[in-house]
């Protein structure tokens, strides 16, 4: 039997679980997992339901729309592999980890293409027979370059864009059409060590942990809603290059975990943060 | 407004969320948190609901009993501090950690008393003005000693018994009346290093992690449903005494975390394992 | 046999390990642990040696001074319990954890007294029969209050001052005489969430980890050499109060670990960071 | 300047650090890192020295042999990339992770070839232009099959053999010539869940952590000296297949970390355990 996912969020009020489950029950559907959360600070209600059974999604959705409050955002979809584009620059670790997971069928996604502003990663990507679009930025304004990237993106039907160490700042014009669909990974020092070489700064500061944060991109590149964070322990034996390598490892791990959550439709975004079931 | 917790488990069937939420909705109650899980291997349904509002618990419970399947186990209670007895032997770390959390109001529980088969920990416990019942076991059969412990236990209304390094095996006769209410902590080597000094064995084996497991006690002392587990890293610099100290730290941490889960009524027990919301 | 600890740091040059070990060998001493590190960025050499045997420390030290470069800092001491003062304000968790470790002989230190600018923690400390000096700060200038604290400190021979959530900024005048001997614990958001309630800010930001940092205090309260850092995972279910509780747990753990390192003379401080063997 | 690594182990006695550092000092070599450990239980001494300078390794080694006790094992080598063979069966995760690290130059090793008893992983390996030797075992005795593997191994000069989920038991005849040079990764349940599907057993038991252990292989396949161990947290939401995926992730991470340690000559093996500097 097919597996479906229903995500609803709206202002909290009494009866929302009841009304939602009533529609599914009356359509003879079987809830296999149900998670609800109310953010009391904002009076915001979130529910995610996994269910199975035979159903016409559009009918279910309109029944839900009829019974739930008007402000409710309702997403209803069949569980399926997501179609993704990866954007990268020069570093191979995050991209490589995704490629290998994709190749061994560990990723709930199809990689449609990789787009990069450099051609360094092309040989790696082509090992996996995945299209590589080299879109150089030399001599172009930020927006002009982005429009060339958009020309490539527009060839595809995309569920998510994964920034696997894409080292350029994206404009609001680029981000807006994909809001909530662009996932980025960066080191976790922000705002501590801003600038060219954060690991060198962290080494000078004598930090004992190195972290990574995966987040959705909004207008503020490294400040969007956080999906997952983790750290690994370092000590004085680490040169800043060793710290950077440790950072690459934790970035790959955190990004992989975050992609699993996103591709399984487990994440809600609101107020610049996430609810993850 | 008061906070209530509802826990239901039964064989899975369609409509359980609907029927449960219907009762709460019709009684004008407000669900603030709702977690559901279906174990597909066993077709078992679990739901835990936090709600607030004005209600007569016995009425709600009987309405739920009328609408839910006959095999449903329904627990409905006001959120409140639990009343607990701690049993310990000679080691201070797990007991001390609980005492200090209790003293600074971090524990959702009242410690009614500490029972021990030794008097070593008496000065520590009395620092906190908590009754200490020294019940020696010398020269007594296991059951005779347990009956003397039970005589002390019977003085109190108890929600949970916490075995904070209580180093005696409990008989089925002792455990049965408190099934699902006795929480134990032990090192995580089992079944690897059975016997007198597991840390010495672990040291000889050259392990690189030391772990702890908190679990409910059933007839098989160290094999009951697991609540929480964690580890810490060790290396060749650790003597077995250092490993033991590391073990004490992780035991205290894991036990504290598990007590928080238990005292907030977040744990279901079934098939010798736990569902924790 | 007694256990001794030798710590040396100086500019790196050839032969330092040789010269150091020669002195110990010729005095018939037995090295049981030897750790060396060269910071290549600064050309700085660090060695820590544990040894046992019969020896006159002053003789060994002068032999080392004769053979090692003039810039060498040489510390040589018998391994012994450190004498410490704890300073705290209102929060019990870090203080309580130290008190309980002290009471069960897990801490390589004697707590001589607790000093606080409030009297809230007095009952807790007195449970353990440890002197509590309440030094109120109301109506006093920062320096005037510090001088009253110093009057208490001066009653004791102190190896370390532990700031177990002491919530006042210390002046350079206070810190300087104890440089490298004051250990502080704070949350790990800095510089991210500056101000009154960092957990509330962290909650609003939707962080997924909560951290703690233990460090030596220098003139810049929260920016001294880091000893240890750790984090724990949180999620959207955590209110900011729950995050704060999680923070308290990780603070206690990180502080305890850092005190073990400091009290065993395992830490070198240089360039605002630490080398820890 | 070249970087050299010296590893010595022998029965402990006074003067070993002195004698070792004397040779290096008199040859005008510069120690950049020096780690020593004495296992007091066995009276065993270990030292690892990193040094740089101009030197004739054979001269240094013979000087060390002349000054150190006769039982001393002395390894002296230039720091260089190791030559490795990977053996795998059907699972791609551990192998894929090594391939991608190798490809992006994160691994201090050259992968000479992959040997497998199945041809399933051939397409993955050939993406990286690495020789794949398919050595089927069907209808062959264990030793007959191993001899066919040995025929492939003998084509190469090998520093290490990495068992990246090689699912066959190796005989003592196979292991002995490579003792201390074969690294294996397995789940960390042993001896808990022996048999066909450990994750299914772990799921039934309701474990809350999933672990992995990397170790050297000796005659007892999964019981050799442990290099590294780690765990990740799971909960009731994990099916046994999800637990297996979590296990794959932690296996890849632990194996990668262990290979870094081995390929940098940081590991001593003795008494079925490891000292790692």
């Amino acid at each position: 039997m097919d597996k479906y996912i229903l995500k609803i969020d709206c202002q909290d009020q009494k009866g929302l679980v009841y009304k939602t489950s009533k529609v599914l029950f009356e359509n003879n559907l079987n809830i296999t997992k149900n998670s609800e959360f109310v953010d009391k600070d904002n009076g915001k209600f979130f529910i995610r339901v996994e269910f199975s059974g035979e159903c016409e999604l559009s009918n279910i959705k309109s029944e839900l729309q009829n019974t739930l409050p008007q402000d409710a955002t309702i997403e209803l979809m069949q569980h399926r592999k997501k179609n993704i584009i990866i954007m990268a620059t020069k570093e191979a670790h995050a991209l490589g980890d995704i490629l290998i997971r994709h190749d061994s069928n560990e990723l709930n996604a199809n990689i449609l293409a990789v787009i990069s502003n450099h051609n360094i990663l092309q040989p790696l990507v082509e090992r996996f027979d995945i299209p590589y679009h080299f879109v150089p930025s030399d001599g172009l304004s930020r927006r002009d370059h982005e429009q060339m990237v958009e020309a490539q993106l527009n060839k595809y039907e995309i569920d998510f864009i994964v920034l696997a160490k894409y080292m350029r700042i994206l404009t609001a014009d680029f981000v807006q059409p994909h809001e909530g669909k662009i996932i980025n990974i960066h080191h976790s020092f922000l705002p501590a060590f801003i600038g060219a070489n954060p690991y060198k700064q962290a080494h000078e500061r004598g930090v004992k942990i190195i972290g990574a944060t995966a987040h959705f991109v909004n207008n503020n590149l490294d400040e969007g809603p956080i999906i997952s964070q983790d750290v690994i322990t370092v000590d004085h034996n680490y040169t800043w290059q060793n710290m950077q390598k440790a950072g690459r490892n934790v970035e790959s791990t955190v990004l992989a975990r975050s992609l699993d959550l996103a591709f399984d439709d487990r994440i809600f975004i609101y107020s610049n943060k996430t609810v993850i079931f």
Side-chain angles (χ1 to χ4, degrees), chain A residues 83-97:
Chain A
N83 294 314
I84 68 170
I85 298 282
I86 304 174
M87 293 173 66
T89 293
K90 292 179 178 175
E91 291 172 87
H93 62 284
L95 171 63
D97 187 73

Side-chain angles (χ1 to χ4, degrees), chain A residues 5-9 61 64 73-77 181 265 267-268:
Chain A
I5 292 161
L6 169 64
K7 289 169 67 187
I8 300 167
D9 67 82
K61 189 162 181 178
L64 286 165
T73 305
I74 301 171
E75 286 182 273
L76 181 54
M77 51 238 154
K181 300 297 178 190
D265 300 301
I267 311 179
F268 289 84

Side-chain angles (χ1 to χ4, degrees), chain A residues 134-241:
Chain A
F134 169 35
V135 184
S137 58
D138 292 354
L140 296 179
S141 76
R142 191 172 299 283
R143 249 333 263 158
D144 284 351
H145 176 249
E146 283 182 353
Q147 280 165 351
M148 295 184 66
V149 173
E150 285 162 359
Q152 296 297 336
L153 287 172
N154 291 337
K155 294 180 187 167
Y156 303 95
E157 288 283 336
I158 304 169
D159 293 302
F160 289 98
I161 298 169
V162 179
L163 305 185
K165 303 301 288 177
Y166 185 70
M167 302 309 280
R168 291 178 62 84
I169 292 167
L170 299 170
T171 69
D173 285 340
F174 183 91
V175 170
Q176 204 178 351
H178 306 285
E179 187 114 24
K181 300 297 178 190
I182 309 177
I183 295 169
N184 188 37
I185 182 75
H186 67 68
H187 66 78
S188 266
F189 303 124
L190 294 171
F193 305 121
I194 295 168
N197 191 332
Y199 289 101
K200 209 164 179 176
Q201 295 178 61
H203 183 258
E204 267 159 38
R205 180 66 189 86
V207 302
K208 303 294 187 186
I209 51 176
I210 294 283
T213 296
H215 64 98
F216 289 105
V217 176
N218 57 16
N219 290 342
N220 196 339
L221 179 59
D222 293 321
E223 295 283 335
I226 297 171
I227 304 169
S228 183
Q229 300 184 289
D230 207 349
V231 301
I232 53 175
T233 301
V234 296
D235 62 33
H236 65 268
N237 288 300
Y238 284 67
T239 60
W240 71 260
Q241 293 90 341

Side-chain angles (χ1 to χ4, degrees), chain A residues 9-268:
Chain A
D9 67 82
C10 59
Q11 280 307 107
D12 190 31
Q13 56 172 246
K14 285 174 193 167
L16 294 169
V17 175
Y18 163 66
K19 288 170 183 167
T20 302
S21 57
K22 186 169 191 282
V23 169
L24 297 176
F25 176 61
E26 291 176 351
N27 280 277
N28 208 26
L29 297 164
N30 192 33
I31 296 176
T32 53
K33 197 163 160 189
N34 184 34
S35 308
E36 188 219 354
F37 173 69
V38 175
D39 181 338
K40 290 171 207 166
D41 297 336
N42 301 291
K44 198 83 193 268
F45 168 90
F46 303 88
I47 192 167
R48 179 184 180 276
V49 185
E50 290 182 14
F51 63 90
S52 57
E54 305 224 342
C55 73
E56 189 63 58
L57 286 185
S58 57
N59 291 354
I60 305 290
K61 189 162 181 178
S62 78
E63 286 186 43
L64 286 165
Q65 280 165 332
N66 291 340
T67 187
L68 291 171
Q70 287 211 327
D71 73 314
T73 305
I74 301 171
E75 286 182 273
L76 181 54
M77 51 238 154
Q78 200 164 350
H79 188 252
R80 64 164 174 79
K81 285 208 172 192
K82 298 299 185 287
N83 294 314
I84 68 170
I85 298 282
I86 304 174
M87 293 173 66
T89 293
K90 292 179 178 175
E91 291 172 87
H93 62 284
L95 171 63
D97 187 73
I98 299 171
L99 289 171
I100 208 83
R101 286 172 191 272
H102 180 254
D103 190 75
S104 48
N105 214 22
E106 296 271 321
L107 207 67
N108 188 27
N110 306 307
I111 303 175
L112 304 179
V114 174
I115 297 174
S116 177
N117 55 327
H118 287 267
N119 58 11
I120 291 173
L121 298 168
Q122 186 150 3
L124 170 62
V125 172
E126 291 184 344
R127 289 190 188 287
F128 293 91
D129 305 316
I130 289 169
Y132 187 91
H133 304 301
F134 169 35
V135 184
S137 58
D138 292 354
L140 296 179
S141 76
R142 191 172 299 283
R143 249 333 263 158
D144 284 351
H145 176 249
E146 283 182 353
Q147 280 165 351
M148 295 184 66
V149 173
E150 285 162 359
Q152 296 297 336
L153 287 172
N154 291 337
K155 294 180 187 167
Y156 303 95
E157 288 283 336
I158 304 169
D159 293 302
F160 289 98
I161 298 169
V162 179
L163 305 185
K165 303 301 288 177
Y166 185 70
M167 302 309 280
R168 291 178 62 84
I169 292 167
L170 299 170
T171 69
D173 285 340
F174 183 91
V175 170
Q176 204 178 351
H178 306 285
E179 187 114 24
K181 300 297 178 190
I182 309 177
I183 295 169
N184 188 37
I185 182 75
H186 67 68
H187 66 78
S188 266
F189 303 124
L190 294 171
F193 305 121
I194 295 168
N197 191 332
Y199 289 101
K200 209 164 179 176
Q201 295 178 61
H203 183 258
E204 267 159 38
R205 180 66 189 86
V207 302
K208 303 294 187 186
I209 51 176
I210 294 283
T213 296
H215 64 98
F216 289 105
V217 176
N218 57 16
N219 290 342
N220 196 339
L221 179 59
D222 293 321
E223 295 283 335
I226 297 171
I227 304 169
S228 183
Q229 300 184 289
D230 207 349
V231 301
I232 53 175
T233 301
V234 296
D235 62 33
H236 65 268
N237 288 300
Y238 284 67
T239 60
W240 71 260
Q241 293 90 341
N242 294 149
M243 285 191 176
Q244 204 171 39
K245 179 173 178 174
R248 287 194 289 270
N249 283 335
V250 69
E251 282 178 351
S252 298
T253 304
V254 169
L255 182 56
R257 191 191 308 161
S258 302
L259 297 185
D260 281 348
L261 297 170
F263 298 166
D264 280 349
D265 300 301
R266 295 158 67 99
I267 311 179
F268 289 84

